[in-house]
Amino acid sequence: MSRRVWISAVLALCLIAGAIWFFKVRDHGAGELKAEHAEDTTPHHGEIYAAAPIQVVVNANTDIQAGSTLSVSNAAGETISLGEVAIDDNKLAMRRDFPVDAADGLYMATYSICVDGGSCDEGSFQFTIDRSLQSTFIDLTGQEKVSIVMKDIVFSPQKIKISPGTEVTWIHDDIAEHFVNTESHPFHTYFPKQNSRSLRQGDSYSVVFDTPGLYPYHCSAHAAVMTGEIIVQ
Ligand SMILES: [Cu+2]
């Protein structure tokens, strides 16, 4: 083969390798380390929240044993997660409270999942709080009850701000079956009280939100497109 063909072949290989690297980094993001037994997290790695999450949650594919850890630090490296790590009764998720008044900025969560037999493996993920995003939320604070209609595979209004203690009612007015599900799909562990049964036309579902923070949610039948967010403050 001529020298020119060789050079072209090497250049083509470099381009392919570069593209694979680019898409891997874009998908997983720099800084994420996924423990062997972790399925996913809330917030997701790289997610930007318009308010503080009420908790950080790690979902696992095996029983999480005592001794497992989860903590969040800010960009200065100070630990800001609160209280103790709580492992869910079914042992498939662990969670830790997060301060509602945490400043805007980047946060790093690190965790260690310990499994039966005593071995533990570690992971990490990052998320950002940017309250300037709240300008896209409809302000419904100061009301005892608010409602959200489910129609044409959309939650409407999609992003709302309410006060602590407000009762939110989802009203189903659509052909398709819908659900109200807390993050993350398909685990629905972030705020389990928000998970509804299957809803059909004429059905409604109500939840009272007491704890300030951000509540991202979705319909598990249309998880990719039918999403909503509630800020309690
Ligand atoms: Cu739906």
Side-chain angles (χ1 to χ4, degrees):
M1 249 187 290
S2 76
R3 197 169 158 182
R4 186 173 290 177
V5 171
W6 272 108
I7 290 170
S8 301
V10 168
L11 277 174
L13 277 174
C14 288
L15 269 174
I16 291 166
I20 291 170
W21 176 83
F22 174 78
F23 285 110
K24 270 190 107 91
V25 167
R26 198 185 62 167
D27 283 353
H28 293 285
E32 184 184 30
L33 176 67
K34 199 165 176 179
E36 185 191 348
H37 292 292
E39 286 288 339
D40 78 345
T41 62
T42 304
H44 287 302
H45 175 68
E47 215 162 8
I48 302 172
Y49 269 34
I54 54 168
Q55 292 184 322
V56 289
V57 183
V58 175
N59 298 297
N61 56 19
T62 190
D63 285 1
I64 300 172
Q65 302 293 338
S68 299
T69 62
L70 170 60
S71 68
V72 184
S73 56
N74 62 17
E78 299 157 335
T79 300
I80 64 150
S81 45
L82 304 169
E84 301 291 322
V85 177
I87 298 171
D88 287 11
D89 288 343
N90 67 10
K91 297 191 176 179
L92 291 176
M94 62 177 168
R95 57 188 67 240
R96 193 159 186 184
D97 287 347
F98 190 86
V100 66
D101 56 354
D104 280 6
L106 181 69
Y107 291 90
M108 165 80 89
T110 54
Y111 61 90
S112 167
I113 297 178
C114 299
V115 299
D116 206 15
S119 72
C120 307
D121 67 328
E122 289 175 8
S124 65
F125 59 98
Q126 296 174 358
F127 60 94
T128 299
I129 298 173
D130 178 0
R131 290 180 176 81
S132 72
L133 297 173
Q134 292 189 16
S135 60
T136 62
F137 285 65
I138 293 174
D139 189 347
L140 299 177
T141 53
Q143 304 187 30
E144 271 178 44
K145 295 169 187 277
V146 304
S147 52
I148 295 171
V149 176
M150 308 162 87
K151 191 172 176 62
D152 300 331
I153 315 188
V154 170
F155 292 111
S156 182
Q158 191 188 19
K159 296 180 182 181
I160 62 170
K161 206 186 280 190
I162 58 172
S163 299
T166 296
E167 181 183 73
V168 177
T169 299
W170 283 266
I171 298 166
H172 189 299
D173 182 18
D174 209 350
I175 311 297
E177 173 189 43
H178 296 302
F179 298 79
V180 178
N181 285 113
T182 188
E183 293 288 87
S184 59
H185 188 69
F187 302 98
H188 309 146
T189 48
Y190 176 69
F191 180 54
K193 189 181 153 188
Q194 196 179 351
N195 292 316
S196 76
R197 66 190 190 287
S198 159
L199 300 172
R200 293 282 187 181
Q201 198 149 33
D203 289 344
S204 65
Y205 180 68
S206 299
V207 178
V208 175
F209 290 83
D210 290 317
T211 304
L214 181 73
Y215 297 78
Y217 68 95
H218 62 278
C219 161
S220 55
H222 307 97
V225 292
M226 193 171 170
T227 61
E229 292 176 66
I230 296 171
I231 292 172
V232 179
Q233 73 173 31

